[in-house]
């Protein structure tokens, strides 16, 4: 693994804290809300920007920082599809399997990608590059079948094009 | 979309919402302003807030998030106390399957929403606002963040805006992937840093919302319509559309048409015109089979109804469906309605927040028929059971998600029962389209 990779991953058992830059962002986030709790979603997003997912050490850190019980934070994490309590790869790929996308083969693309990369829902590929997640309507049905690669929408795609795009990821 | 546009100035004649969309770089504040943007905000600061509310009420604007409740009437329920702490919450969650209009509006022209929100905040006397945008729309959230920064730099947001002694702070808040956060009380729970679980109404958010305080929740498209209405007046706005469905509406069209996308047309435009003129007709010249006219919660229309319906709240309702968010999914003869229903039910089961038994169990049970089909264990009679289960879920729950799952199910059975019966009893492996 390159150093670039290890920067964004987190090994279990090691403590987590925000980088000094993210700590500044955290302070700025708090100013937007009339109470601390309301900043929880943006703060969890910020943790994931730093290390991709939300390990127990990060939950403990956020709990201490915001004075919210860990169990509450865990509940919140499990409610939302885009918060990950399992390790995910540095490239997150969302494949839409809702109505319009499925009409144009979205499900076959998702299954095809799992097979090609020999992986499962969210499980990072063996080289640690990619996690795949099937998603509900991504709000871009005119691009059906579509997917999100990290934060960018692509579509329409077929399986071959999808594989090629993912193979190009760092 | 095909209509001729004036260059670099807003085209207010044919469009109320997309009037700036043809202008290159209009996401920049200076370009937006040169084309006439923020003029109405400035003019509105000279107007009495009550007069603004009255104008919006008279325009007949109805909430574009799905329910179609008159925006001005809802504003009328809101506390008039300008010193009381109150919030304005823009619903940009846009997760109803088939819907992508708010994304289209905001990514090209974030300032029309911001201008609409500042005018609305002035009218409503709210000091703080949030744009709750679904987590997947990261780039769109960044576009909004940038536009907000520009507006702050100009003094259009923040303390003592334009020297009027009026404070309004506006922020973007990103969701994290949960359809139910589009429901207004679910959204409020989520904004409070909790699971996005809906709360029983009443009390309505306008009375008791975010942090227990009065909160006005409006959809992106509703708020973005306000500057036009204030500029040209309610009477001009009502010239678009029908008597009860005033104005123009954004429609998101996807599925089996040649040109899927977002269009803005007057309410009451025929679905036939939308498909044939605006969307370039059916894909591959195939025959139309059915249309979902208002997002996945809306009961499907068969071909006959699709070709005769006018896209306004009343006419779509008269066909037993609803205009909803204006998400049109066009389905041609090559599709099996069993597939469409299966995708729909999987979605609702996945998105049920689990608080209410009829919803949690009902959506799970309905989906399970399609699971059983995969092992050859579903029977023809399951469709009758499906209909009964759907019926029993309606009107029993905290929020409308259970109804949103039940209605399209029953609608589908009404028109396509034999096809669905055949579908659930067909060996999956021999049923490749
Ligand atoms: C299950 C469910 C999902 C909803 N999703 C959305 C949504 O994504 N966007 C939206 O604007 N309204 C959505 N609504 C409607 C909102 O609860 C609310 O009525 C709306 O935001 C009010 O704004 P409006 O009056 O401008 O339409 C949803 C409602 C339900 C029951
Ligand atoms: S109806 Fe369904 S989604 Fe709505 S509150 Fe009840 S369980 Fe949650
Ligand atoms: S169905 Fe895939 S983006 Fe809407």
């Amino acid at each position: 693994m390159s150093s670039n990779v290890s920067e964004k991953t987190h090994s279990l058992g090691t403590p987590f804290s925000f980088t000094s830059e993210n700590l500044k962002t955290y302070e700025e986030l708090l100013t937007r809300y009339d109470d601390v709790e309301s900043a929880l979603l943006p703060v969890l997003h910020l943790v994931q920007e730093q290390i991709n997912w939300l390990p127990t050490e990060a939950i403990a850190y956020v709990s201490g920082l915001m004075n919210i019980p860990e169990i509450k934070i865990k509940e919140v994490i499990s409610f939302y599809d885009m918060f990950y309590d399992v390790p995910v790869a540095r490239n997150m790929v969302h494949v839409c399997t809702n109505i319009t996308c499925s009409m144009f083969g979205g499900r076959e693309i998702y299954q095809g990608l799992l097979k090609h990369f020999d992986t499962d829902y969210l499980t990072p590929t063996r080289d640690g590059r990619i996690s795949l997640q099937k998603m509900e309507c991504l709000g871009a049905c005119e691009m059906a079948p579509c997917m999100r690669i990290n934060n960018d929408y692509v579509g329409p795609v077929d399986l071959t094009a999808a594989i090629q795009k993912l193979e190009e990821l760092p | 979309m095909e209509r001729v546009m004036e260059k670099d100035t807003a085209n207010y004649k044919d469009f109320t919402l997309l009037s700036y969309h043809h202008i290159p770089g209009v996401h920049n504040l200076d370009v937006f302003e040169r084309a006439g943007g923020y003029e109405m905000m400035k003019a509105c600061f000279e107007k009495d807030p009550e007069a603004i509310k009255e104008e919006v009420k008279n325009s007949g604007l109805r909430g574009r998030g799905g329910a179609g409740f008159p925006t001005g009437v809802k504003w009328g329920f809101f506390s008039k106390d300008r010193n009381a702490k109150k919030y304005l919450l823009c619903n940009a969650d846009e997760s109803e399957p088939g819907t992508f209009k708010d994304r289209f509006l905001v990514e090209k022209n974030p300032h029309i929403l911001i201008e609409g929100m500042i005018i609305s905040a002035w009218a409503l006397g709210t000091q703080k606002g949030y744009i709750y945008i679904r987590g997947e729309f990261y780039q769109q959230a960044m576009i909004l963040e940038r536009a907000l920064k520009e507006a702050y730099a100009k003094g259009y947001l923040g303390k003592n805006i334009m020297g009027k002694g009026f404070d309004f702070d506006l922020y973007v808040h990103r969701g994290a992937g949960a359809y139910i956060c589009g429901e207004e009380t679910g959204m409020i729970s989520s904004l409070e840093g909790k699971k996005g679980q809906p709360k029983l109404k009443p009390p309505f958010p306008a009375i008791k919302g975010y942090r227990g305080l009065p909160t006005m929740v409006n959809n992106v498209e509703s708020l973005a319509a306000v500057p036009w209405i204030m500029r040209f007046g309610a009477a001009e706005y009502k010239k678009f559309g029908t008597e009860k469905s005033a104005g123009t509406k954004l429609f998101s069209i996807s599925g089996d048409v040649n040109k899927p996308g977002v269009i803005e047309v007057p309410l009451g435009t025929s679905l036939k015109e939308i498909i044939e003129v605006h969307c370039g007709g059916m894909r591959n010249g195939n025959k139309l089979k059915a249309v979902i006219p208002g997002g996945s919660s809306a009961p499907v229309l068969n071909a006959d109804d699709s070709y005769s319906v006018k896209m306004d709240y009343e006419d779509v309702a008269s066909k037993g469906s609803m205009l909803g968010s204006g998400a049109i999914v066009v389905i041609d003869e090559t599709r099996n309605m069993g597939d469409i229903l299966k995708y729909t039910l999987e979605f609702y089961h996945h998105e049920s927040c689990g608080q209410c038994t009829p919803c949690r169990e009902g959506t799970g049970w309905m989906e399970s028929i399609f699971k059983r089909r995969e092992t050859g264990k579903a029977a023809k009679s399951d469709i009758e059971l499906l209909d009964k289960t759907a019926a029993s879920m309606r009107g029993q729950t905290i929020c409308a998600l259970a109804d949103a799952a039940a209605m399209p199910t029953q609608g589908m059975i009404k028109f396509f029962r034999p096809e669905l019966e055949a579908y659930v009893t067909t060996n999956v492996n021999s049923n490749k389209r």
Side-chain angles (χ1 to χ4, degrees):
Chain A
M1 272 195 237
S2 69
S3 61
N4 176 33
V5 176
S6 52
E7 255 171 52
K8 271 206 118 192
T9 49
H10 172 89
S11 5
L12 282 169
T14 53
F16 171 88
S17 59
F18 274 141
T19 60
S20 56
E21 196 187 323
N22 281 346
L23 209 50
K24 257 192 257 154
T25 308
Y26 168 74
E27 295 297 338
E28 192 276 325
L29 279 174
L30 288 189
T31 64
R32 299 180 174 202
Y33 303 95
D34 293 329
D35 55 34
V36 178
E37 292 78 14
S38 297
L40 183 59
L41 264 60
V43 168
L44 294 176
H45 277 305
L46 192 61
V47 174
Q48 291 197 154
E49 269 175 40
Q50 191 172 316
I51 55 164
N52 297 328
W53 67 294
L54 299 157
T56 45
E57 297 82 6
I59 296 169
Y61 175 78
V62 170
S63 169
L65 201 61
M66 301 179 78
N67 199 20
I68 302 174
E70 285 184 41
I71 178 74
K72 280 235 164 104
I73 300 177
K74 283 184 183 154
E75 266 178 29
V76 167
I77 292 170
S78 67
F79 189 83
Y80 298 93
D81 288 342
M82 293 174 75
F83 289 142
Y84 305 109
D85 55 8
V86 292
V88 290
R90 60 183 181 276
N91 294 297
M92 177 54 75
V93 176
H94 290 156
V95 184
C96 178
T97 58
N98 208 290
I99 302 174
T100 307
C101 287
S102 291
M103 284 167 64
F104 293 97
R107 289 170 183 231
E108 287 75 17
I109 291 173
Y110 177 66
Q111 291 303 333
L113 288 174
L114 289 184
K115 194 157 167 234
H116 177 85
F117 289 98
D118 187 22
T119 185
D120 222 320
Y121 183 78
L122 291 185
T123 310
T125 49
R126 232 166 299 153
D127 57 9
R129 278 194 309 139
I130 298 164
S131 280
L132 290 158
Q133 184 177 20
K134 67 173 176 167
M135 293 292 269
E136 299 302 350
C137 178
L138 292 171
C141 325
E142 84 277 32
M143 303 180 200
C146 75
M147 52 196 228
R148 290 177 81 245
I149 302 177
N150 295 317
N151 288 315
D152 296 314
Y153 279 80
V154 283
V157 284
D158 59 19
L159 180 59
T160 315
I163 290 174
Q164 197 190 334
K165 281 195 191 304
L166 300 199
E167 291 290 11
E168 285 163 8
L169 289 171
Chain B
M1 282 205 292
E2 298 77 12
R3 283 168 278 185
V4 185
M5 310 270 193
E6 296 161 47
K7 204 169 170 286
D8 289 357
T9 46
N11 174 2
Y12 294 122
K13 262 197 343 276
D14 297 328
F15 303 94
T16 65
L17 296 152
L18 302 185
S19 47
Y20 299 87
H21 252 59
H22 59 292
I23 303 169
V26 77
H27 60 280
N28 296 305
L29 188 143
D30 56 336
V31 178
F32 180 69
E33 271 200 310
R34 248 182 283 134
Y38 285 114
E39 261 171 44
M40 242 14 257
M41 172 199 74
K42 291 172 192 167
C44 281
F45 284 134
E46 305 303 324
K47 288 186 206 280
D48 174 19
E50 290 307 313
I52 298 173
K53 285 198 234 171
E54 199 56 29
E55 199 68 40
V56 170
K57 189 170 158 195
N58 293 338
S59 76
L61 173 68
R62 293 169 65 169
R64 304 294 194 224
F69 191 81
T71 305
V73 175
K74 188 154 91 177
W75 284 12
F77 300 145
F78 203 53
S79 156
K80 290 191 178 62
D81 182 355
R82 296 188 76 80
N83 297 315
K85 200 165 181 75
K86 295 177 291 184
Y87 298 99
L88 178 61
L89 181 51
C90 170
N91 191 340
D93 194 57
E94 187 153 78
S95 304
E96 172 87 4
T99 319
F100 45 91
K101 64 181 178 82
D102 297 338
R103 189 202 90 226
F104 181 78
L105 182 61
V106 147
E107 67 190 2
K108 209 58 174 290
N109 190 4
H111 286 290
I112 197 174
L113 173 63
I114 298 170
E115 183 179 16
M117 286 190 77
I118 298 171
I119 297 171
S120 305
W122 168 249
L124 294 161
T126 56
Q127 308 86 357
K128 224 174 225 189
Y130 297 94
I131 302 169
Y132 187 112
I133 188 164
R134 62 179 298 180
E136 292 87 342
F137 289 171
Y138 178 84
Q139 302 297 7
Q140 291 72 17
M142 293 306 119
I143 289 169
L144 281 164
E145 291 269 13
R146 186 178 162 277
L148 287 171
K149 225 178 235 150
E150 288 181 308
Y152 267 104
K154 273 281 199 167
Y156 298 164
L157 286 167
K159 296 264 168 289
N160 191 18
I161 298 172
M162 313 224 30
K164 290 289 157 198
F166 170 65
D167 303 341
F168 182 57
D169 280 302
L170 183 57
Y171 304 104
V172 175
H173 184 94
R174 286 180 61 219
Y179 167 64
I180 198 57
C181 294
E183 197 281 336
E184 54 189 5
T185 59
M187 172 168 291
I188 287 168
S189 299
S190 179
L191 181 60
E192 287 167 345
K194 297 187 265 201
K195 296 191 277 185
Q197 288 184 322
K199 295 171 196 157
L200 210 54
K201 295 185 273 194
F204 288 93
I207 310 295
K208 196 164 179 271
Y210 175 50
R211 306 179 64 246
L213 298 168
T215 305
M216 180 53 63
V217 187
N218 291 122
N219 173 256
V220 169
E221 189 186 342
S222 315
L223 291 163
V226 171
W228 197 102
I229 292 169
M230 291 315 298
R231 183 179 202 109
F232 297 102
E236 282 300 309
Y237 190 72
K238 290 188 94 152
K239 286 187 185 162
F240 292 108
T242 68
E243 197 196 328
K244 286 184 176 158
S245 296
T248 62
K249 168 98 190 77
L250 299 178
F251 289 100
S252 324
I253 305 122
S254 68
D256 295 322
V257 290
N258 282 318
K259 289 195 293 171
V262 175
I263 60 166
E264 178 179 2
V265 288
L267 281 161
T269 302
S270 76
L271 182 52
K272 190 166 196 274
E273 179 191 322
I274 291 176
I275 293 172
E276 289 180 355
V277 179
H278 300 278
C279 297
M282 298 296 292
R283 190 179 59 100
N284 301 336
N286 287 349
K287 231 174 96 197
L288 181 112
K289 181 172 187 177
V291 173
I292 302 172
S296 63
S297 311
V300 73
L301 303 176
N302 66 6
D304 284 350
D305 283 350
S306 302
Y307 276 132
S308 61
V309 75
K310 292 195 169 56
M311 295 304 285
D312 59 63
Y313 296 98
E314 287 67 35
D315 209 51
V316 181
S318 78
K319 307 273 187 208
S321 188
M322 59 181 194
L323 191 78
S325 59
I328 299 171
V329 183
V330 179
I331 299 163
D332 75 19
E333 58 188 340
T334 67
R335 310 293 181 184
N336 192 312
M337 299 312 280
D339 284 329
I340 308 286
L341 185 56
K342 175 180 137 179
Y343 307 149
T344 308
L345 289 175
E346 283 178 7
F347 166 73
Y348 285 107
H349 183 217
H350 180 248
E351 298 298 335
S352 167
C353 86
Q355 284 188 103
C356 321
T357 311
C359 175
R360 186 185 61 239
E361 300 300 318
T363 54
W365 196 89
M366 294 199 297
E367 190 206 338
S368 72
I369 291 177
F370 294 89
K371 283 225 178 80
R372 284 209 298 281
R373 168 180 178 256
E374 278 160 32
T375 50
K377 290 204 178 95
K380 196 176 149 191
S381 57
D382 277 335
I383 298 302
E384 183 57 29
L385 265 168
L386 188 61
D387 199 15
K388 289 216 168 86
T389 309
S392 72
M393 289 165 65
R394 296 179 65 170
Q396 305 288 323
T397 52
I398 294 176
C399 89
L401 184 137
D403 287 78
M407 289 184 306
T409 305
Q410 292 191 281
M412 193 75 94
I413 296 171
K414 184 174 97 188
F415 285 127
F416 299 102
R417 183 186 287 264
E419 184 171 333
L420 296 174
E421 288 173 346
Y423 181 84
V424 294
T425 51
T426 304
N427 183 311
V428 174
N429 300 322
S430 67
N431 194 48
K432 275 268 159 280
R433 199 182 57 235

